[in-house]
Amino acid sequence: NYSEKRLRSVHKALAERGVPLACNQVQYSLLHRTPEDNGVKAACDELGVKILAYSPLAQGVLTGKYSKDNLPSGPRANIFRDRVDEVEPLLAALSDIGAANGGKTAGQVALNW
């Protein structure tokens, strides 16, 4: 879970010892695309380091399981409640793409992205 600066530092330190850095685990999904903006994805691409996304379904939100009327339990409810209007068009698009491609679910399309 390295920032761009830390990623470069660890990659260099490992390379000096002949050990490749295989992956960097970061939060990354259609709803959390920060690695594209903060330089992490670009650095990973440049250095040949794979990104291992954690929470690729945004804590279940991208599965289509939740809605305004069916919020997730616990702290996720507060996070989702603030973004439900933003997420609904994305979920509709994911569902449409899935339907047009063999009946895949919104979650399957989000993971394939």
Side-chain angles (χ1 to χ4, degrees):
N1 201 351
Y2 299 127
S3 66
E4 177 191 3
K5 181 179 177 182
R6 181 77 180 201
L7 173 74
R8 290 182 185 284
S9 173
V10 170
H11 183 272
K12 181 180 178 189
L14 289 172
E16 289 170 354
R17 292 164 179 79
V19 178
L21 178 60
C23 71
N24 186 20
Q25 183 178 12
V26 294
Q27 185 175 4
Y28 193 33
S29 72
L30 282 167
L31 292 182
H32 188 87
R33 297 176 68 178
T34 304
E36 295 172 12
D37 298 327
N38 65 10
V40 168
K41 183 177 182 314
C44 284
D45 291 346
E46 174 190 329
L47 299 171
V49 176
K50 301 295 183 191
I51 290 180
L52 177 61
Y54 74 79
S55 198
L57 294 174
Q59 299 180 342
V61 171
L62 293 174
T63 65
K65 178 178 179 179
Y66 303 117
S67 67
K68 289 183 207 180
D69 301 322
N70 181 33
L71 294 173
S73 60
R76 290 182 301 155
N78 294 329
I79 296 167
F80 185 60
R81 183 179 296 113
D82 295 339
R83 296 187 77 183
V84 70
D85 291 334
E86 172 188 350
V87 172
E88 285 182 347
L90 175 58
L91 289 173
L94 292 173
S95 294
D96 291 347
I97 292 167
N101 289 278
K104 304 296 187 272
T105 67
Q108 288 172 311
V109 175
L111 287 174
N112 193 53
W113 166 83

